[in-house]
Amino acid sequence: MALSARLELRQSQSLVMTPQLMQAIKLLQLSNMDLVTYIEQELERNPLLERADDGGDGEAPVAEPVDTDLPARADAPDWFETEGAPSSERVSNVLDTDIGNVYPDDAGQPERQPLDVGALAGGDWASVGRGGTGEDYSLESFVAGEISLGDHLAEQLAVAITDPALRLIGHDLIDQVDEAGYLRADLAATAERLGAPLSDVEKVVAVLQTFEPTGICARNLAECLALQLAEKDRLDPAMQALIAHLDLLARRDLPALKRLCGVDDDDLGDMIKEILALDPKPGHAFGSTQVQTVVPDVMVQSAADGGWTVELNTDTLPKVLVNQTYYAEVSKTAREEEKTYLGECFQSANWLTKSLDQRAKTILKVATEIVRQQDGFLTHGVAHLRPLNLRMIADAIGMHESTVSRVTSNKYMATTRGIFELKYFFTSSIASSEGGDAHSAEAVRHRIRQLIDAETADDVLSDDTLVKMLRDDGIDIARRTVAKYREALRIPSSVQRRRLKQLAGA
């Protein structure tokens, strides 16, 4: 069998992710805030892109005249119409004095540049305050920044400790304080790393624990509470025993706590109330993470005909255009390699605008179908939330599940009942015991919370009782599912709730 080279023609099909498709998919899963950042980067990179609101007739805004409320004089010199500073002869004739008396610091100096009164009238004081540097001016630069927990502790450390070696240890320990205010440091390892005696490190820790807010730099919850109680002069032996057995308090084991602390029911109740009034995370008063306000992507309002109006929040959508006029003018005189670059920019700009338009239409289509499916929730509340999954939405609007998943990621909907993430409306289903429509898991959790909130100290509902009551309401649910939902809602068990209610009643 001879080996030889030959040409063969084969036809095949394959799915290829083009750069344009990858860009469209990326834009689809971005939130509006992330999309604005992405558009800003594209505006800097692509010269053919411009904001839709950048257009204009090129005329600068006319400043309103400034009323100085000064009486006009017929013989007053028009200082602002002079070229540069007034001359020596003019000052002598008008003011009857030498120019050195009027401008003592400018005598013999070169003439000044004319003062731009229009800029002052228009409020452009930035260049005047900085000597005309033309830098961007913002009032935000004068606003004091938020003091972090580390800065707050460092300021107190500078006053409390003067020894440079101990102060160095203090700064190192402050760097190991977490956002809640707890010192997450191994003192022995810190002493070895800094080459300092362990006694010095412990001495600095004791000083740090005297700083404000009270309870800061504690190494555990018990120490944090003890520091706050000590400041209130309430750290007696009974309270120390209670602090040492916080695990029993978490389990609501009141008989064991009374035995260990040597107190009766009334005293134990007062002690627990004091503990609950303390701050377990004193460092949270100095938030180091900036909380970002949720901006809704979709607005839902009630319509006059009893339905719902769904529209995009256009205030947060970036608007960009392709400057075709600039592209046509530059292409006439551009060289061959420049034309290639301009062609790529033009194609990229066109694809970006089309992707943004398609993204908006897809979000609106998915949000409209969600509103149609969850009409009961919008009208009556969470108890009427229907079971919903991605496939149901995808089949209804003729899209793939992955597309619906990307649309609902990091997107929020503003409704008459509040702002919800789009993924909130997708919940699993729980079968009905009567053979009717299935119930939403979120609605079942809401029903469990309602039943527990309505219970009394004499009639605390166990998980088995909750199962019976839910089945009476037509919800077929297992006991382990009720326990899982209760724990997800951070609701204690029936035994713990009974002890808490008895303690509150005492």
Side-chain angles (χ1 to χ4, degrees):
M1 181 176 179
L3 297 177
S4 61
R6 59 180 179 178
L7 296 176
E8 289 185 357
L9 183 62
R10 294 181 180 179
Q11 184 177 4
S12 62
Q13 293 181 347
S14 62
L15 182 61
V16 179
M17 292 284 289
T18 63
Q20 292 81 8
L21 180 60
M22 295 175 63
Q23 182 189 55
I25 293 176
K26 179 180 180 181
L27 295 180
L28 193 60
Q29 61 189 6
L30 292 179
S31 64
N32 277 359
M33 305 301 292
D34 295 334
L35 182 63
V36 170
T37 304
Y38 178 81
I39 295 301
E40 291 293 335
Q41 297 174 354
E42 289 296 315
L43 287 170
E44 295 180 0
R45 187 186 66 84
N46 196 331
L48 301 182
L49 276 176
E50 63 179 15
R51 293 184 179 86
D53 54 355
D54 283 349
D57 53 8
E59 297 180 1
V62 180
E64 295 293 333
V66 177
D67 185 9
T68 58
D69 294 331
L70 296 177
R73 287 178 48 193
D75 58 344
D78 192 358
W79 300 105
F80 297 121
E81 292 184 357
T82 60
E83 294 293 336
S87 62
S88 175
E89 181 180 357
R90 183 174 178 81
V91 172
S92 300
N93 294 336
V94 176
L95 301 179
D96 193 23
T97 184
D98 185 69
I99 190 173
N101 297 327
V102 181
Y103 304 104
D105 294 335
D106 295 342
Q109 297 293 331
E111 291 186 348
R112 295 172 179 262
Q113 296 296 324
L115 183 63
D116 187 1
V117 184
L120 297 181
D124 187 12
W125 292 89
S127 59
V128 177
R130 288 189 299 267
T133 60
E135 298 177 1
D136 292 338
Y137 176 78
S138 175
L139 289 176
E140 296 178 357
S141 60
F142 295 94
V143 179
E146 182 181 3
I147 299 178
S148 65
L149 176 60
D151 296 337
H152 182 66
L153 296 177
E155 292 177 357
Q156 300 178 72
L157 179 66
V159 178
I161 297 179
T162 57
D163 189 338
L166 296 180
R167 185 178 294 178
L168 177 63
I169 297 175
H171 283 292
D172 186 271
L173 293 174
I174 289 175
D175 292 338
Q176 301 182 65
V177 176
D178 62 10
E179 295 181 358
Y182 288 90
L183 179 61
R184 306 299 185 184
D186 186 347
L187 300 188
T190 301
E192 182 180 357
R193 176 167 49 84
L194 297 179
L198 180 59
S199 58
D200 288 351
V201 177
E202 293 175 345
K203 182 193 302 183
V204 174
V205 171
V207 174
L208 294 178
Q209 291 180 350
T210 63
F211 290 173
E212 293 292 334
T214 307
I216 206 69
C217 295
R219 284 161 286 187
N220 50 59
L221 177 60
E223 189 174 32
C224 177
L225 300 179
L227 290 172
Q228 298 180 53
L229 291 170
E231 185 189 40
K232 297 180 179 181
D233 197 19
R234 284 290 296 120
L235 195 59
D236 52 26
M239 190 66 77
Q240 290 178 357
L242 179 60
I243 294 296
H245 298 87
L246 292 177
D247 55 332
L248 297 179
L249 180 60
R251 296 199 301 266
R252 279 79 175 176
D253 193 350
L254 303 185
L257 287 176
K258 287 191 297 182
R259 185 176 62 257
L260 291 171
C261 298
V263 295
D264 56 13
D265 292 339
D266 295 337
D267 291 338
L268 182 61
D270 294 338
M271 292 167 61
I272 294 178
K273 290 179 181 178
E274 289 187 50
I275 294 293
L276 296 178
L278 302 177
D279 187 2
K281 298 180 179 180
H284 280 182
F286 301 85
S288 59
T289 57
Q290 184 177 3
V291 178
Q292 185 176 357
T293 305
V294 174
V295 180
D297 302 80
V298 182
M299 315 289 288
V300 179
Q301 299 176 347
S302 57
D305 58 355
W308 302 97
T309 301
V310 184
E311 59 182 6
L312 293 175
N313 187 5
T314 56
D315 294 338
T316 61
L317 290 176
K319 304 174 182 65
V320 293
L321 297 175
V322 183
N323 196 336
Q324 300 186 9
T325 304
Y326 177 71
Y327 171 71
E329 293 178 356
V330 175
S331 298
K332 295 178 182 178
T333 58
R335 292 174 300 197
E336 190 63 29
E337 59 273 12
E338 294 173 348
K339 288 183 178 181
T340 303
Y341 169 73
L342 290 174
E344 294 176 354
C345 292
F346 185 72
Q347 184 180 12
S348 176
N350 281 327
W351 272 105
L352 180 60
T353 54
K354 292 179 181 178
S355 298
L356 291 175
D357 182 65
Q358 185 63 34
R359 174 185 182 272
K361 292 179 180 178
T362 305
I363 293 176
L364 186 60
K365 185 182 295 186
V366 172
T368 303
E369 182 60 25
I370 291 177
V371 171
R372 191 185 70 82
Q373 295 278 359
Q374 300 293 358
D375 176 71
F377 164 77
L378 298 174
T379 305
H380 304 290
V382 67
H384 296 267
L385 193 65
R386 293 181 53 191
L388 189 64
N389 54 40
L390 298 176
R391 179 179 292 275
M392 296 171 62
I393 298 293
D395 294 340
I397 63 178
M399 291 185 177
H400 196 270
E401 292 182 45
S402 61
T403 303
V404 178
S405 177
R406 292 187 179 95
V407 170
T408 55
S409 297
N410 304 316
K411 310 294 189 308
Y412 292 86
M413 177 186 295
T415 68
T416 55
R417 298 190 175 275
I419 299 178
F420 301 92
E421 189 178 6
L422 293 185
K423 286 190 177 296
Y424 171 82
F425 299 99
F426 295 89
T427 60
S428 57
S429 61
I430 296 178
S432 173
S433 60
E434 300 175 355
D437 294 336
H439 300 272
S440 167
E442 186 66 29
V444 173
R445 283 192 287 265
H446 177 70
R447 179 58 179 161
I448 292 175
R449 178 177 288 279
Q450 285 183 329
L451 293 173
I452 293 178
D453 290 342
E455 67 183 7
T456 61
D458 298 330
D459 187 18
V460 177
L461 304 177
S462 64
D463 292 345
D464 292 329
T465 305
L466 290 173
V467 170
K468 295 178 182 178
M469 298 178 69
L470 292 174
R471 287 181 177 175
D472 293 339
D473 293 341
I475 302 174
D476 187 11
I477 190 171
R479 181 186 179 279
R480 62 179 180 276
T481 307
V482 171
K484 182 180 69 174
Y485 287 172
R486 177 179 53 76
E487 293 173 358
L489 294 172
R490 298 182 180 276
I491 298 177
S493 65
S494 59
V495 177
Q496 295 174 341
R497 297 200 307 274
R498 181 178 293 106
R499 291 173 178 173
L500 282 177
K501 293 181 183 296
Q502 292 176 351
L503 180 62

